[in-house]
Every structure is written in structure tokens, then in C-alpha cells.
């Protein structure tokens, strides 16, 4: 995405320091994650038990002025723990948001949240070859650009978000996102979205995407959800992705017990058995520590070529 847009956002956030800030907060977390691939011999660091491990820290800073102007910055520092260690730093979010009449304007880099799934999903902005599998609640996509939000049907808690998303600072590749999240009933949440490639690179063809999702709460902590995404509207059959899942109550023993499945026809050319992916997610938080465990069959993240190839990830997060 366009780095120049995020740079402008940082400059605007720094300008907020000149405004009488009513609220300022700082928070963050550190975590360590261990990962085991689904098949023996896939280890990346020479360990017979752990294929990948990393340590991550993410401080964040938020400010809000009395006139409603808000700014937010979040930075990620990460170190891979393997035979060839690597350390990276990345600006994850840097944006300002400002109300103008009934419209809220957001510019910079932000997390767009819309998917009901926590592991699979997020099809509106495309997927990698094997899918989008990630361990924790990553029902977001990191975007750069300008977004306008307005209430659409207030009695049904329906909003409209329209965003201009340049992929390159030269504006040779620009998408227009239209997203309409809705919560018409306390037990029902919906989303409908499209991501239209308004300006394509001279050598390519435009690629338009769409997705629809829903979450239905049967009783407290018992939820059904699904998302259907088309990552290329010119080839619906080959570009269709489906994820569905179930949250199961545990009477307070766990904070999350969830099963998710994902289906994509002919997901990997190297295998005829990787159309379906299945993951079980568990979460427990004790004070400022949170423990996440994901186990299952996933071609995208765990290298599963067949459904019986099972791997897993474990993450410990400390919040501050």
C-alpha cells in the first residue's frame, strides 16, 4: 500500500500536538508465538519440534482533542527466533479521524474490521494462494488511504463506509471500497462490501472483489457465522471463498472455544485434498496475560496438503 499516505498521516497526527488535547493514552503488548507445521520436515529453523517462533512488541498511542479530532499510532517490533534471526520494525497504524457534520473522515493507515471469522475470512481485499489463515483475532485488513463514514439507516444500526485506497504512491493502482456493516437486531450482524479497482496498472486487468458475511447469536456465547467472498468478479467460480464457524460456550472456563472451516475449490495445484481447511481456536485470559492456541489443518499457514495433516500455533501475550 502507499507509504506516502501513512507519512502524511503521521504529520497530521503530530500537528495535533498543537491542539488542546483533552485525552491522551498509551498502551501496548508483547508476545511470543511458537508454531509447528503440519508435516514433519517443514521446520524453518532446524528444530525438530518448533518450525517458527517470534517475539513481538506493539506500543500504541492515542489522542483526542475537544473538537472530536482523533489520532492514533501503532508500531510493531518483531524478532524471528530461528537459525538466521531477523528483526523488523513496521508502522501498523497511523491515522487521524475527524467528524464533519454527519460524516467521519479518516486518513492514513488503519485496520478495517468487517469479517466475522477470527482465523479465516477477510476476502474483500484478496487472499494469498493458500488462504488468509492467522492465529488470533485478525478479522481486519491493514489499509492505506482516505475513508468517509456516514450513518445510513440509524434504526437498523447500518453505516456506510467509502474509501479511496491507492496501492502505489503514484496512484497507478487505486481501489474504491464500499462497505456497509449492519446490526438490525441484537442477535444478528451483517456486512456487505465491494472493492472496485478504479485505476489499474497499464499492463494489467482490473480486479474487482465482493464479500458478504453474517453472525447469528443463538444464545449467549453461542454464535454461528459465515462469510462468502469473491476475489475476482470476472471469474466467480475460481475465485470464490467460503468460511463458516461456531462459537461454543464453556461456562467461563475459556474466553473462546471456536471451530472454523474454509473452503476454496482447487486451493493448491500441488494437492487434490486441500480444498477444505479446519481450525480449532482456544483462548484464555488471566489478568494481563492471554493465551491462544490454534490447531488444525490449514494449507495457507501450516502447509497442510491433506486434511489429516495437522499443525498448530501457541501464543502468549502480555498487555501493558
Amino acid at each position: 500500500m502507499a507509504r506516502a499516505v501513512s507519512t502524511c498521516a503521521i504529520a497530521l497526527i503530530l500537528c495535533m500536538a498543537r491542539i488542546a488535547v483533552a485525552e491522551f493514552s498509551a498502551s501496548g503488548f508483547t508476545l511470543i508465538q511458537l508454531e509447528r507445521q503440519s508435516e514433519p520436515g517443514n521446520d524453518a529453523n532446524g528444530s525438530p519440534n518448533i518450525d517458527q517462533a517470534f517475539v513481538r512488541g506493539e506500543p500504541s498511542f492515542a489522542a483526542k482533542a475537544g473538537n472530536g479530532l482523533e489520532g492514533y499510532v501503532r508500531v510493531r517490533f518483531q524478532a524471528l527466533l530461528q537459525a538466521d534471526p531477523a528483526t523488523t520494525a513496521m508502522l501498523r497504524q497511523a491515522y487521524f479521524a475527524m467528524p464533519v457534520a454527519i460524516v467521519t473522515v479518516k486518513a492514513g493507515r488503519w485496520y478495517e474490521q468487517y469479517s466475522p471469522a477470527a482465523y479465516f475470512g477477510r476476502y474483500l481485499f484478496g487472499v494469498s494462494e493458500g488462504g488468509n489463515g492467522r492465529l488470533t483475532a485478525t478479522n481486519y485488513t491493514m489499509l492505506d488511504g482516505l475513508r468517509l463514514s456516514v450513518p445510513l439507516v440509524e434504526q437498523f444500526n447500518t453505516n456506510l463506509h467509502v474509501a479511496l485506497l491507492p496501492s502505489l504512491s503514484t496512484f497507478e493502482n487505486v481501489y474504491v471500497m464500499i462497505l456497509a456493516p449492519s446490526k438490525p437486531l441484537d442477535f444478528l450482524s451483517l456486512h456487505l462490501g465491494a472493492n472496485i479497482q478504479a485505476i489499474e496498472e497499464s499492463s494489467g486487468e482490473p480486479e474487482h472483489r465482493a464479500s458478504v458475511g453474517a453472525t447469528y447469536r443463538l444464545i449467549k456465547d453461542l454464535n454461528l457465522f459465515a462469510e462468502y467472498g469473491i476475489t475476482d468478479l470476472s471469474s466467480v467460480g475460481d475465485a470464490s471463498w467460503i468460511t463458516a464457524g461456531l462459537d461454543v460456550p464453556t461456562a467461563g472456563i475459556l474466553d473462546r472455544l471456536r471451530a472454523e472451516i474454509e473452503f476454496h475449490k482447487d486451493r493448491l495445484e500441488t494437492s487434490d485434498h486441500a480444498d477444505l481447511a479446519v481450525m480449532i481456536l482456544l483462548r484464555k485470559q488471566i489478568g494481563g496475560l492471554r493465551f491462544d492456541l490454534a490447531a488444525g489443518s490449514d494449507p495457507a499457514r501450516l502447509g497442510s496438503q491433506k486434511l489429516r495433516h495437522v499443525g498448530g500455533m501457541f501464543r502468549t501475550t502480555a498487555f501493558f
Side-chain angles (χ1 to χ4, degrees):
M1 290 295 189
R3 307 291 180 180
V5 179
S6 294
T7 303
C8 293
I10 297 174
L12 289 167
I13 292 169
L14 292 175
C15 289
M16 291 179 58
R18 296 181 175 273
I19 304 174
V21 177
E23 300 177 14
F24 178 83
S25 62
S27 60
F29 61 83
T30 59
L31 67 84
I32 182 170
Q33 178 171 312
L34 309 177
E35 179 177 321
R36 180 59 177 163
Q37 294 289 306
S38 62
E39 296 181 85
N42 284 350
D43 52 306
N45 63 356
S47 167
N49 298 312
I50 301 300
D51 292 308
Q52 179 173 284
F54 61 80
V55 176
R56 178 184 298 167
E58 290 196 15
S60 60
F61 308 91
K64 184 174 182 178
N67 60 359
L69 181 63
E70 298 181 21
Y72 185 81
V73 175
R74 181 173 184 169
V75 184
R76 172 179 293 179
F77 303 96
Q78 181 168 294
L80 296 179
L81 306 179
Q82 54 188 24
D84 186 16
T87 302
T88 58
M90 184 179 187
L91 182 65
R92 296 291 294 180
Q93 295 191 78
Y95 65 82
F96 80 92
M98 179 175 59
V100 180
I102 64 170
V103 179
T104 299
V105 180
K106 177 182 284 189
R109 170 173 291 179
W110 70 90
Y111 288 170
E112 190 67 65
Q113 299 182 358
Y114 62 96
S115 173
Y119 187 87
F120 300 116
R122 306 178 308 284
Y123 304 126
L124 190 58
F125 300 95
V127 297
S128 62
E129 178 185 4
N132 270 352
R134 275 186 277 177
L135 173 60
T136 56
T138 51
N139 58 333
Y140 64 82
T141 302
M142 188 172 67
L143 301 179
D144 292 286
L146 173 69
R147 191 186 79 171
L148 305 179
S149 302
V150 62
L152 196 61
V153 185
E154 293 188 15
Q155 58 267 40
F156 293 117
N157 295 309
T158 302
N159 299 305
L160 177 65
H161 306 303
V162 179
L164 185 68
L165 307 172
S167 297
L168 302 170
S169 58
T170 55
F171 281 76
E172 293 179 0
N173 192 11
V174 179
Y175 283 85
V176 174
M177 178 199 76
I178 302 171
L179 185 63
S182 178
K183 192 174 177 61
L185 301 168
D186 287 341
F187 54 84
L188 180 64
S189 298
L190 307 168
H191 91 254
L192 178 65
N195 195 27
I196 307 300
Q197 190 170 10
I199 303 175
E200 72 273 11
E201 298 178 72
S202 57
S203 60
E205 294 293 330
E207 189 174 85
H208 312 310
R209 309 183 186 111
S211 74
V212 59
T215 300
Y216 182 81
R217 189 183 76 244
L218 299 173
I219 59 175
K220 182 181 179 182
D221 297 329
L222 180 59
N223 305 305
L224 290 170
F225 59 88
E227 181 182 0
Y228 171 59
I230 304 171
T231 53
D232 187 351
L233 289 174
S234 66
S235 180
V236 174
D238 295 330
S240 290
W241 294 76
I242 301 172
T243 189
L246 174 69
D247 287 315
V248 180
T250 63
I253 298 175
L254 296 174
D255 296 306
R256 168 184 289 164
L257 175 57
R258 167 177 285 198
E260 292 191 15
I261 62 172
E262 181 181 68
F263 177 82
H264 176 58
K265 184 177 180 296
D266 300 328
R267 181 196 299 260
L268 299 178
E269 295 181 359
T270 57
S271 173
D272 296 329
H273 307 282
D275 292 350
L276 188 67
V278 179
M279 293 298 295
I280 305 296
L281 308 178
L282 296 88
R283 170 175 290 176
K284 179 63 177 179
Q285 184 151 343
I286 303 174
L289 286 177
R290 191 176 74 193
F291 305 94
D292 288 279
L293 175 65
S297 175
D298 175 22
R301 182 60 188 249
L302 299 176
S304 305
Q305 295 294 305
K306 298 182 179 180
L307 196 59
R308 68 173 182 268
H309 293 167
V310 175
M313 293 166 279
F314 178 74
R315 175 181 290 187
T316 301
T317 307
F319 296 90
F320 58 86

